[in-house]
């Protein structure tokens, strides 16, 4: 999934259409607030970011992305009308991976996007990968695959999966899961954890069987 933060409706629609025509999943947002809401549900593989935005400027958005663990390593391509060398240096020094000035051609955009995606996948360290059976997860790149096929997870589902994998066979109690993932203690009545586990198993398909229920305690995954 590729996210685009661009307030110009015409440009936003054209870029999203171009990306989808190129065989990619893409979604556009006109304002940072809507963009942040989407990030709570899913972390994209790549972010296209305009600089001049309503609510807050793109460099502020970029700083927030780079200070957040889930998006720290997500490639960011800046798209902006600011074309001076100084503006480019500021953007790249602020943590952007590439910089394109408007107007630009859609074919060049697709080429830059594909290059960034290839570079991102090539730089995933093997030591970062968590594996069990057909399931492979990269916490730093926020990716999950089953038999090499990407699986789309919400932010909470992904954090839950990583927690279980990192415990490597030790039981994660509902109280621990809620405290770690949601930030509050289990009250003995909430079914939040069970619902997320069920959704996680469904999205992982056959690999979902690796999530074991420990009756009266919680859940675990053994990385054999």
């Amino acid at each position: 999934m590729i996210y685009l933060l661009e307030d110009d409706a015409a440009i936003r629609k054209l870029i999203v259409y171009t990306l989808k025509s190129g065989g990619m999943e893409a979604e556009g947002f006109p304002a940072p607030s809507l963009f942040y809401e989407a990030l709570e549900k899913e972390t994209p593989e790549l972010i296209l970011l305009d600089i001049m935005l309503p609510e807050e400027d793109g460099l502020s958005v970029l700083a927030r992305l780079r200070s957040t663990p889930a998006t720290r390593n997500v490639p960011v391509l800046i798209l902006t009308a600011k074309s001076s060398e100084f503006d480019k240096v500021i953007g790249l020094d602020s943590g952007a991976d590439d910089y394109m000035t408007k107007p630009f051609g859609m074919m060049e955009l697709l080429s830059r996007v594909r290059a960034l995606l290839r570079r991102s996948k090539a730089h995933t360290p093997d030591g970062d990968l968590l594996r069990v059976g057909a399931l492979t997860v990269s916490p730093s790149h926020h990716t999950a695959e089953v038999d090499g096929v990407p699986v789309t997870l919400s932010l909470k589902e992904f954090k839950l999966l990583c927690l279980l994998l990192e415990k490597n066979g030790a039981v994660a109690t509902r109280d621990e899961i809620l405290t770690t993932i949601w930030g509050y203690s289990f009250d003995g009545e909430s079914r939040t954890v069970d619902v997320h586990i069920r959704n996680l198993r469904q999205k992982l398909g056959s690999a979902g069987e690796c999530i074991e229920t420990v009756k009266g305690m919680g859940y675990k995954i053994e990385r054999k």
Side-chain angles (χ1 to χ4, degrees), residues 55-119:
E55 301 178 352
E56 65 177 300
D57 69 87
L59 292 180
S60 174
V61 174
L62 179 58
R64 179 166 170 173
L65 292 172
R66 290 298 176 243
S67 65
T68 303
T71 56
R72 182 173 297 149
N73 296 308
V74 175
V76 175
L77 170 56
I78 288 181
L79 308 174
T80 179
K82 294 185 175 183
S83 59
S84 73
E85 182 179 5
F86 175 76
D87 290 321
K88 291 181 181 179
V89 170
I90 291 296
L92 294 171
D93 284 352
S94 297
D97 296 271
D98 202 354
Y99 193 109
M100 292 185 71
T101 56
K102 301 174 183 176
F104 48 78
M106 291 299 106
M107 294 304 293
E108 181 184 359
L109 174 64
L110 279 177
S111 179
R112 297 277 194 102
V113 165
R114 288 175 177 140
L116 282 174
L117 290 174
R118 286 195 302 270
R119 191 189 311 165

Side-chain angles (χ1 to χ4, degrees), residues 6-47:
E6 165 64 65
D7 63 323
D8 186 304
I11 295 176
R12 188 171 64 252
K13 290 178 182 178
L14 176 59
I15 291 177
V16 169
Y17 173 79
T18 299
L19 294 172
K20 289 183 176 180
S21 297
M24 307 171 195
E25 289 186 88
E27 188 171 353
F29 308 93
S33 57
L34 298 174
F35 172 70
Y36 292 141
E37 287 179 12
L39 285 178
E40 285 295 316
K41 300 175 184 177
E42 179 181 0
T43 299
E45 295 179 86
L46 174 68
I47 295 169

